[in-house]
Amino acid sequence: MREYQQRTQHVLDTYLNDSDTPERLLKAMRYSALSGGKRFRAMLVYAAGLAVDAPLEKLDIVATALECIHAYSLIHDDLPAMDDDDLRRGLATNHIEFDEATAILAGDGLLTFAFELINQPSSNLSDRQCRLITANLARKSGPIGMVGGQMLDIQATEQKINQSELENIHKRKTGALIQSAVMCGALCNDQVTQIQLDALQEYASNIGLAFQVVDDILDIESSTEELGKTSGADIALGKATYPALIGLEESKKMAEKLYQQAIESIATISDNGALVSKTNNTENLRNNTELLHNLADLVVKRKN
Ligand code: IPE
Ligand code: IPE
Ligand code: MG
Ligand code: MG
Ligand code: MG
């Protein structure tokens, strides 16, 4: 995983460097995009791509674009009008380090830059891949996906909502971008089969929801030092979370169940896209999906 984290850091550092960008804006964009983080969405792009034999140089650009959109979402999520946080990845949040106007624009810049990256001539992606990946990423990060989820999250603050409403919020605000990372990685190979896409979709949908359930749990159980962001922020804000709705123990069971479902769904991916029996899991198959396995482990075992 470290290899792919470093790869992402290097590609981000290389591309997020256009001297035509106003200096303060570029500084603010780089501050948030290059400030570490687990690089989970980038690694998902590589993992899904590797599972279906997509070329690495195509995955580099897509992984970087996903991290730009993720960094934008964090900058805006932390703004005073949203979650009003002053700590992110162990550093001052963007609007504290710079100012609110700069933070809003740095977020806007990272979002649009992601699409520029994918569609630039040197992206190595075919026209068809650019079109499919752009459409998926726009849909999943936009009003029906992440942005829509953030709207519902704000509206649900201090409100009583039921479990299916909470699931809807979490699947959109966090699950949608995670799904997009997996699907866009897979779309980097034109030969990817519908069977492979369906299996990856199932995997992504499960770990996407699990990721936010665990984020809610960590907000209670981890320290600010471990998290690199303020722990206990959800309760302080009256956020709709799984622990608040069903309790910590049930939330942990749910994350574990989603993890198991994710692992089962990738047992059906093989090199040629044939449906492989879950009991006939060859070594080659295991290697192909090893990074996907490791990332599912990370979702439930992480401490930040
Ligand atoms: C935090 O995402 C925001 C959520 C969607 C829960 P991550 O936990 O992936 O944050 P970084 O990138 O590692 O900082
Ligand atoms: C964030 O959910 C989802 C995003 C789209 C950024 P949270 O608000 O729980 O994320 P953290 O805990 O601030 O990282
Ligand atoms: Mg939030
Ligand atoms: Mg937040
Ligand atoms: Mg959170």
Side-chain angles (χ1 to χ4, degrees):
M1 284 200 265
R2 182 167 291 277
E3 180 195 335
Y4 293 107
Q5 282 170 332
Q6 285 169 350
R7 234 187 134 91
T8 308
Q9 190 75 7
H10 176 72
V11 182
L12 262 172
D13 190 17
T14 308
Y15 280 95
L16 208 50
N17 228 336
D18 193 330
S19 56
D20 252 359
T21 312
E23 199 183 330
R24 184 173 172 81
L25 180 61
L26 184 61
K27 211 171 152 202
M29 288 165 68
R30 287 178 60 89
Y31 177 81
S32 290
L34 294 168
S35 61
K38 293 176 289 298
R39 303 294 185 211
F40 180 65
R41 292 147 194 85
M43 288 194 289
L44 280 174
V45 172
Y46 288 115
L50 293 174
V52 302
D53 285 329
L56 212 46
E57 67 274 10
K58 296 192 182 198
L59 299 174
D60 281 338
I61 291 294
V62 177
T64 305
L66 258 295
E67 284 298 320
C68 286
I69 294 189
H70 173 55
Y72 126 71
S73 80
L74 299 180
I75 297 174
H76 283 194
D77 182 72
D78 290 333
L79 284 168
M82 302 277 287
D83 291 353
D84 193 14
D85 267 308
D86 51 18
L87 191 68
R88 172 69 65 183
R89 294 174 171 172
L91 296 171
T93 46
N94 200 290
H95 65 275
I96 299 285
E97 182 69 16
F98 296 89
D99 55 68
E100 270 184 60
T102 307
I104 291 167
L105 294 169
D108 294 341
L110 285 164
L111 170 61
T112 41
F113 181 67
F115 290 101
E116 186 185 338
L117 257 182
I118 288 168
N119 288 280
Q120 64 177 335
S122 59
S123 74
N124 294 312
L125 297 165
S126 67
D127 287 352
R128 179 176 179 273
Q129 286 167 340
C130 280
R131 184 166 47 77
L132 292 177
I133 290 169
T134 299
N136 184 290
L137 198 47
R139 189 166 169 82
K140 294 294 182 181
S141 58
I144 70 132
M146 184 177 75
V147 174
Q150 289 286 69
M151 182 78 249
L152 297 174
D153 171 279
I154 297 293
Q155 286 181 295
T157 304
E158 307 275 19
Q159 300 297 314
K160 260 204 159 11
I161 60 166
N162 63 33
Q163 197 165 335
S164 81
E165 288 168 324
L166 183 60
E167 184 177 314
N168 183 35
I169 294 174
H170 280 27
K171 280 188 165 171
R172 288 178 195 250
K173 76 170 182 175
T174 298
L177 193 62
I178 286 176
Q179 273 185 35
S180 186
V182 172
M183 298 321 274
C184 291
L187 289 171
C188 286
N189 181 356
D190 284 327
Q191 265 72 54
V192 66
T193 66
Q194 194 55 49
I195 290 172
Q196 288 175 318
L197 287 175
D198 290 347
L200 287 169
Q201 172 66 47
E202 182 71 14
Y203 165 86
S205 161
N206 282 300
I207 58 157
L209 179 57
F211 194 90
Q212 187 62 44
V213 175
V214 173
D215 183 82
D216 291 351
I217 295 169
L218 291 174
D219 187 80
I220 296 172
E221 293 202 325
S222 269
S223 65
T224 297
E225 289 67 37
E226 270 177 312
L227 288 176
K229 58 187 183 185
T230 316
S231 82
D234 292 337
I235 293 172
L237 284 174
K239 284 284 181 186
T241 66
Y242 271 87
L245 189 69
I246 63 174
L248 265 175
E249 286 320 305
E250 283 306 311
S251 302
K252 287 180 190 174
K253 278 189 209 155
M254 184 173 163
E256 183 58 32
K257 189 169 159 227
L258 291 165
Y259 164 80
Q260 292 299 344
Q261 286 169 191
I263 296 296
E264 274 170 36
S265 52
I266 47 170
T268 58
I269 301 174
S270 77
D271 289 277
N272 58 13
L275 203 61
V276 174
S277 147
K278 284 170 196 171
T279 50
N280 183 21
N281 206 348
T282 64
E283 194 47 40
N284 190 18
L285 171 60
R286 168 79 207 177
N287 287 342
N288 249 8
T289 56
E290 195 175 355
L291 196 50
L292 288 170
H293 273 260
N294 293 345
L295 291 171
D297 286 346
L298 179 77
V299 171
V300 284
K301 296 200 181 117
R302 68 204 171 100
K303 292 279 171 263
N304 68 32

